C-alpha cells in the first residue's frame, strides 16, 4: 500500500496484516554543479522505483510511506533525530518493522542510532530509467531487497 487516500482506506480495514513501513531516504543538495544535480535526481527516481516495486511485490504486508527528503550537507545527528520522530509517529500505528531505504552510504555510520532498520544498497550511478540494462539492475536489486525484507519477518 502507498501513502494515498485509496490505499489508506484499505489500510484502515486491514491494519492487523500490514506490519511493515518503508521510508525512502532521499538526499538533495542544490549547490551542486548541474551534473551532480542530475545524478542526484536520477538516484532519487531510481530509489522511488525500487520502493514502488518492493511495495508492489509485498502488497498486503507493507505500507510505503512518503519519501524522507534531507539536505545531503545536513548533520546526520540532527537528521537522525528527525527520522526517529517520524518513526515514533509511525509506530503509533501497528507497524512492527520500520525499514529505511537508501543509496547514501553515509547513513551506515549512524545506523545504530536509528530506530528503524537501515537498508542500504549500492546506487546505479547513471543511465536511462527505461534502458534494458537499468531495468535489469533494478529488477535484480529489488529481488534481493525483497528477500532481505522477508528476513525481518521471521
Amino acid at each position: 500500500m502507498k501513502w494515498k487516500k485509496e490505499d489508506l482506506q484499505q489500510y484502515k480495514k486491514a491494519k492487523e496484516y500490514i506490519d511493515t513501513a518503508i521510508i525512502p531516504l532521499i538526499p538533495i543538495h542544490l549547490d551542486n554543479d548541474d551534473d551532480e544535480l542530475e545524478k542526484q535526481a536520477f538516484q532519487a527516481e531510481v530509489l522511488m522505483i525500487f520502493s514502488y516495486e518492493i511495495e508492489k511485490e509485498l502488497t498486503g504486508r507493507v505500507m510505503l510511506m512518503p519519501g524522507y527528503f534531507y539536505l545531503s550537507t545536513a548533520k546526520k545527528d540532527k537528521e537522525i533525530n528527525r527520522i526517529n520522530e517520524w518513526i515514533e509517529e509511525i509506530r503509533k500505528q501497528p507497524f512492527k518493522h520500520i525499514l529505511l531505504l537508501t543509496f547514501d552510504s553515509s547513513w551506515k555510520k549512524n545506523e545504530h542510532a536509528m530506530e528503524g532498520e537501515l537498508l542500504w544498497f549500492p546506487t546505479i550511478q547513471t543511465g536511462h530509467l527505461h534502458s534494458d540494462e537499468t531495468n535489469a539492475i533494478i529488477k535484480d536489486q529489488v529481488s534481493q531487497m525483497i528477500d532481505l525484507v522477508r528476513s525481518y519477518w521471521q
Side-chain angles (χ1 to χ4, degrees), residues 20-25 47 51 65-66 68 80 83-84 86-87 90-91 97-103 107-108 110-111 113-121 145 148-149 152:
T20 303
I22 296 175
I23 306 169
L25 304 179
L47 183 61
S51 301
M65 305 303 285
Y68 177 87
I80 287 172
I83 290 171
N84 285 341
W86 271 47
I87 292 170
I90 291 168
R91 287 206 192 275
H97 309 283
I98 310 293
L99 306 176
L100 306 158
L101 303 184
T102 187
F103 290 137
W107 288 110
K108 290 297 287 175
N110 300 289
E111 71 180 309
M114 301 171 92
E115 297 296 324
E117 297 295 332
L118 182 70
L119 304 181
W120 172 82
F121 43 105
M145 195 59 57
L148 183 58
V149 170
Y152 286 100

Side-chain angles (χ1 to χ4, degrees), residues 22-116:
I22 296 175
I23 306 169
L25 304 179
I26 304 168
I28 59 171
H29 186 70
L30 297 175
D31 282 346
N32 291 336
D33 63 41
D34 291 344
D35 291 337
E36 189 65 24
L37 286 172
E38 188 177 316
K39 178 181 164 185
Q40 277 192 337
F42 176 76
Q43 290 176 357
E45 289 179 76
V46 170
L47 183 61
M48 290 311 298
I49 290 170
F50 277 32
S51 301
Y52 285 126
E53 291 297 317
I54 292 167
E55 181 277 332
K56 185 168 71 174
E57 182 71 26
L58 302 174
T59 294
R61 187 80 190 258
V62 302
M63 171 67 73
L64 178 59
M65 305 303 285
Y68 177 87
F69 291 87
Y70 63 95
L71 292 173
S72 57
T73 56
K75 295 185 187 289
K76 287 293 190 267
D77 59 334
K78 289 183 180 182
E79 289 300 327
I80 287 172
N81 288 337
R82 285 185 56 219
I83 290 171
N84 285 341
E85 287 176 10
W86 271 47
I87 292 170
E88 185 178 323
E89 284 296 310
I90 291 168
R91 287 206 192 275
K92 290 179 182 176
Q93 294 295 317
F95 292 112
K96 291 194 283 190
H97 309 283
I98 310 293
L99 306 176
L100 306 158
L101 303 184
T102 187
F103 290 137
D104 183 350
S105 62
S106 68
W107 288 110
K108 290 297 287 175
K109 298 174 193 166
N110 300 289
E111 71 180 309
H112 64 279
M114 301 171 92
E115 297 296 324

